[in-house]
Amino acid sequence: MSGAHDTKPVFPDEQDSITSFESTYDLYRQRICKYFSLKLNPMVADDLTQQVFLKAVENIHSFKGKSNVFTWIFKIAQNTVKNEYRRLSRKKESPFDFTEYESQSISLEFTKNVDFRIDIGAALKKLDEIDQEIIALRFFVDCTLHEISKIVGMRESAVKNRLYRSLEKLKTELKEWGDVTIMSIQDLISIVNKGDNESTNNRLKKVHHDLFVELSNNVERISSKYNYHSSRKVVIELYPDLPTFHQAVGEADAPNWFMGTYEGNILKIVSPLNPGPEHTYESILKSTIHLYSMWLISEINPKVPKWIRQGIGGYEAKQMTQDYIRGTTEEAIRNLAIPSFEQLDNDTWDFGTMKGFQFSYMFVEFVVQQYGLDTLNKVIRNPEDFDGIFQCSEVELHKKMVDYIKK
């Protein structure tokens, strides 16, 4: 959210140029000014911001570089607010109440391309003062959790917990929360029903809501994890039952476990209301994350092998438990009938028979656990460069994976 998440001091020391100071001023001025607008009064915010930066210049010798520059400057702003509170108290005046701030809304981002705005003026007044401060710093002043922890003097984990608890309290106060969520995620995800009717309208609304919640909890996480944000909008087509879905995608004789696929930017899935004999309502929701992950990986590299796409899809969706994976692959592992990479690059129904979903999952887990996420990202983009990425051949890597799986 912030464009200024520095990890190293960029504030000019005594020898730095005026140009460097001006760049630092430009970088942080707006955030400091917004803080004064919230805590005191928008009318005095500009003047007080100027005072803070003048004090920063005068006291630059005291900056030791043990914190980042923004939090150091912000401490000066906090002290300025305290001084103003004391001055107003002597004059028997009240500071500006930021819960009455003119916008009275916060922007909560699902992805880089999606956000929704919620009116929180009245709800904020029901929070503790420290929670109000954390909300203000996070959503109005655009601070990171690390910056907030330094500013309020708490561990980052404590700040995160208080922030989430505060948002949960706000959610109970905001009746329109669910509707707003649905409306805004549609900026990124579009759902189209195939064969619905009036009698199922209310049930479909719940399906839409649950799908949007599932996606909103995962889309940005997955996109950031694999360093890719698509400019294309994803369309989800919902089919009323398995036979209709199978017919629509040209696979009338498909097995019952086949409940979703994607073509281009269209994810096609059977409705969670009629998941068939091998799925449940919840597993269909998770399978949507599986399909979204596969689609995203294909966007990064259309030629990526199936085991990578399927493995990452299963790894991110977590619709298979570890017990299920172990139980269904135990015999193949015992008999050393673990499929090769080439065998897993199989677009027939044999993929399911050879436990392709499970082994692909375990192969991806192996790469992440033994080599790290950066390596997996390299594999996605250069899947044939075994020597360059793993310093071993394809056969040698597969043997390492087999040894890992057997443990």
Side-chain angles (χ1 to χ4, degrees):
M1 294 188 53
S2 170
H5 299 165
D6 58 314
T7 56
K8 294 183 179 180
V10 295
F11 196 93
D13 60 22
E14 293 173 347
Q15 286 76 42
D16 281 330
S17 65
I18 295 298
T19 302
S20 297
F21 170 74
E22 289 176 348
S23 66
T24 302
Y25 175 79
D26 291 339
L27 196 59
Y28 302 126
R29 182 194 64 80
Q30 187 174 2
R31 297 170 72 189
I32 298 296
C33 189
K34 178 66 72 69
Y35 180 70
F36 284 135
S37 294
L38 294 171
K39 301 298 288 185
L40 292 165
N41 192 316
M43 300 297 292
V44 301
D46 282 333
D47 288 343
L48 292 176
T49 300
Q50 296 283 353
Q51 291 179 29
V52 164
F53 279 92
L54 286 173
K55 288 179 181 177
V57 172
E58 292 171 358
N59 293 280
I60 189 60
H61 60 278
S62 67
F63 178 60
K64 306 301 183 184
K66 294 181 179 180
S67 62
N68 73 32
V69 178
F70 174 74
T71 54
W72 181 73
I73 295 175
F74 202 90
K75 288 291 185 181
I76 300 175
Q78 280 186 308
N79 290 333
T80 302
V81 167
K82 291 176 183 178
N83 291 337
E84 283 295 301
Y85 278 0
R86 283 193 288 268
R87 185 182 68 81
L88 291 171
S89 178
R90 287 195 297 269
K91 296 175 66 176
K92 297 183 179 181
E93 295 180 10
S94 299
F96 188 74
D97 183 358
F98 93 94
T99 61
E100 302 291 346
Y101 190 59
E102 59 184 8
S103 69
Q104 291 187 331
S105 63
I106 59 176
S107 177
L108 302 179
E109 296 180 338
F110 286 142
T111 73
K112 301 290 185 184
N113 304 316
V114 179
D115 68 274
F116 63 96
R117 300 192 67 81
I118 298 178
D119 185 347
I120 62 169
L124 274 171
K125 294 182 179 181
K126 298 188 178 182
L127 299 179
D128 294 340
E129 186 175 345
I130 184 62
D131 293 330
Q132 290 185 19
E133 178 84 348
I134 290 172
I135 289 285
L137 292 172
R138 183 71 182 99
F139 295 109
F140 289 102
V141 186
D142 203 20
C143 292
T144 65
L145 294 177
H146 178 72
E147 289 169 343
I148 296 172
S149 72
K150 298 298 183 183
I151 291 167
V152 301
M154 290 182 179
R155 289 185 309 226
E156 189 171 335
S157 59
V159 169
K160 185 176 182 180
N161 288 336
R162 293 197 73 124
L163 177 62
Y164 285 171
R165 285 200 301 269
S166 297
L167 290 176
E168 285 299 316
K169 291 178 184 177
L170 290 179
K171 285 165 68 174
T172 63
E173 297 293 332
L174 298 165
K175 295 179 181 179
E176 74 275 20
W177 180 281
D179 292 336
V180 175
T181 303
I182 290 177
M183 289 169 58
S184 25
I185 193 69
Q186 284 178 329
D187 293 339
L188 183 72
I189 306 289
S190 174
I191 293 184
V192 179
N193 297 303
K194 298 288 185 178
D196 61 322
N197 54 61
E198 291 298 322
S199 65
T200 60
N201 187 50
N202 288 334
R203 297 171 73 202
L204 282 172
K205 283 185 178 179
K206 179 181 181 341
V207 171
H208 288 194
H209 178 271
D210 292 346
L211 282 172
F212 286 133
V213 169
E214 191 72 29
L215 288 162
S216 69
N217 289 336
N218 290 280
V219 165
E220 174 62 15
R221 175 185 66 81
I222 295 169
S223 296
S224 297
K225 192 172 183 178
Y226 297 103
N227 302 321
Y228 186 82
H229 291 80
S230 178
S231 60
R232 294 206 293 170
K233 183 176 184 177
V234 175
V235 177
I236 297 176
E237 289 185 354
L238 275 178
Y239 292 83
D241 51 50
L242 273 178
T244 304
F245 165 70
H246 289 166
Q247 191 70 40
V249 299
E251 298 287 355
D253 298 324
N256 287 328
W257 55 258
F258 179 54
M259 45 57 62
T261 187
Y262 64 96
E263 295 177 8
N265 64 321
I266 301 175
L267 310 186
K268 303 184 177 189
I269 62 171
V270 69
S271 171
L273 296 173
N274 294 295
E278 297 195 25
H279 284 281
T280 65
Y281 188 99
E282 291 299 325
S283 72
I284 296 293
L285 294 182
K286 288 186 176 296
S287 293
T288 307
I289 302 304
H290 186 131
L291 287 172
Y292 176 83
S293 301
M294 290 179 63
W295 168 78
L296 187 77
I297 300 306
S298 295
E299 283 276 289
I300 297 172
N301 182 4
K303 296 182 179 180
V304 73
K306 184 172 182 176
W307 74 267
I308 296 177
R309 284 183 281 117
Q310 285 287 3
I312 289 175
Y315 189 76
E316 296 302 335
K318 296 290 191 291
Q319 72 261 54
M320 296 185 294
T321 66
Q322 290 293 328
D323 287 343
Y324 173 81
I325 293 172
R326 285 293 174 187
T328 54
T329 59
E330 184 177 6
E331 183 178 354
I333 294 171
R334 185 172 58 250
N335 296 329
L336 294 179
I338 299 172
S340 66
F341 296 133
E342 183 178 357
Q343 289 172 323
L344 286 173
D345 199 19
N346 185 322
D347 275 328
T348 72
W349 301 125
D350 290 339
F351 186 83
T353 305
M354 71 174 71
K355 313 301 180 187
F357 297 102
Q358 295 93 313
F359 283 115
S360 295
Y361 176 101
M362 288 191 282
F363 284 0
V364 167
E365 182 184 59
F366 164 79
V367 173
V368 174
Q369 294 293 328
Q370 300 298 308
Y371 295 92
L373 180 61
D374 287 345
T375 297
L376 181 59
N377 272 303
K378 292 177 183 177
V379 174
I380 293 168
R381 290 157 175 83
N382 298 285
E384 297 180 0
D385 187 17
F386 292 95
D387 287 332
I389 298 173
F390 298 102
Q391 287 77 54
C392 66
S393 68
E394 178 179 346
V395 173
E396 290 170 331
L397 180 66
H398 188 268
K399 184 180 183 303
K400 291 181 179 181
M401 286 186 173
V402 170
D403 291 340
Y404 174 84
I405 290 171
K406 287 165 58 180
K407 291 180 181 178

